Amino acid sequence: MKASVKITREINPIVYTDPSMDRYKDVTLFPEKLEQVNKRLEKSGFPGIPNKPDVPQS
Amino acid sequence: MILDRYELKSATNYSTFQFSSVGPKGTVTKIIQFQKTILSNVYNLAFSDQQNGSNNLDDKVVTDNGDSEKVLATVVASIYLFLNHYPDCWVYATGSTAARTRLYKMGINKYFHYVEKDFTILGDFDANWETYQKGKEYRAFAVQSKTVKFDL
């Protein structure tokens, strides 16, 4: 079972949320790259994850 | 040693981030997106410069702004944030070119002692996934948090 741990402070993110960034929620910024990755994953599969498309990409 | 990194601006669902790289070439906006793939719980890490807020991005561009280590540490920080909110998911990363993939490998090796206790790291070697080994040439990498939630 996974446990909660404190992240190493050397790399602790500095972050703030900005609702204006939500304009990217439904935008695929690198469609060609994603298509390439999907083809690779289709071929190689992934440990512990069924090798079936989950949600069709638009 | 505290790793120097940039401040991230995040969407409310922690799937897209922006930050500003500052160096000799000026201020360059960078964008990171974790993209849903065809496999459930596997998200692709995409990363590029972004000019004038455009959605038309080229992840092959080389900025050469003299801050590659700080940029790399910032991208690693974004992975922590994403996996903190989606602890059952995997983040898949591969370079847009062989040189970029080698750069990712160098990044993993550089921060290995920081991240190995927090992440399970796999490498795709000739279409077979295995536990990441330093020095091996992988064509892609995948990480998942070992924890339910990081205490950020």
Side-chain angles (χ1 to χ4, degrees):
Chain A
M1 184 177 170
K2 293 178 177 181
S4 177
V5 297
K6 185 163 180 61
I7 189 173
T8 174
R9 65 188 290 267
E10 286 87 349
I11 216 160
N12 202 356
I14 310 164
V15 65
Y16 67 98
T17 55
D18 181 344
S20 75
M21 289 290 290
D22 290 347
R23 66 185 181 276
Y24 296 111
K25 266 183 179 174
D26 299 317
V27 178
T28 300
L29 293 173
F30 307 90
E32 290 176 9
K33 174 83 178 288
L34 183 59
E35 190 181 340
Q36 180 189 20
V37 166
N38 280 333
K39 282 180 182 169
R40 277 194 185 182
L41 286 171
E42 202 169 14
K43 186 179 174 188
S44 68
F46 200 84
I49 294 177
N51 195 9
K52 293 175 184 171
D54 181 43
V55 177
Q57 300 294 308
S58 56
Chain B
M1 182 183 74
I2 303 293
L3 296 176
D4 198 15
R5 63 237 185 258
Y6 289 110
E7 182 181 62
L8 287 157
K9 181 166 72 172
S10 173
T12 55
N13 66 355
Y14 293 91
S15 66
T16 308
F17 301 88
Q18 270 181 344
F19 64 94
S20 297
S21 155
V22 181
K25 300 272 176 76
T27 299
V28 179
T29 301
K30 307 268 190 184
I31 191 159
I32 303 164
Q33 188 174 59
F34 295 90
Q35 306 172 314
K36 190 170 180 56
T37 69
I38 57 167
L39 299 183
S40 60
N41 286 351
V42 180
Y43 283 76
N44 177 51
L45 167 64
F47 166 61
S48 174
D49 291 1
Q50 184 182 34
Q51 294 184 340
N52 304 319
S54 168
N55 288 352
N56 187 15
L57 305 168
D58 180 3
D59 66 351
K60 296 182 183 68
V61 69
V62 177
T63 316
D64 198 19
N65 209 13
D67 60 347
S68 59
E69 291 200 7
K70 190 171 180 178
V71 167
L72 202 53
T74 308
V75 173
V76 172
S78 77
I79 295 172
Y80 271 100
L81 284 164
F82 179 78
L83 290 178
N84 193 48
H85 287 82
Y86 305 98
D88 292 328
C89 291
W90 286 90
V91 170
Y92 177 102
T94 187
S96 49
T97 63
R100 189 64 65 92
T101 300
R102 281 195 295 275
L103 187 68
Y104 285 176
K105 187 189 82 171
M106 287 164 59
I108 292 172
N109 289 344
K110 183 175 178 61
Y111 298 112
F112 194 73
H113 69 286
Y114 291 119
V115 300
E116 68 170 335
K117 72 179 193 309
D118 294 327
F119 294 141
T120 301
I121 309 173
L122 302 180
D124 174 359
F125 186 77
D126 199 19
N128 291 304
W129 288 100
E130 61 183 37
T131 301
Y132 181 82
Q133 299 172 54
K134 278 184 172 181
K136 205 160 177 181
E137 294 293 330
Y138 295 105
R139 66 174 189 169
F141 315 94
V143 299
Q144 186 187 47
S145 76
K146 291 178 177 175
T147 67
V148 169
K149 212 165 175 64
F150 297 112
D151 184 11
L152 297 175

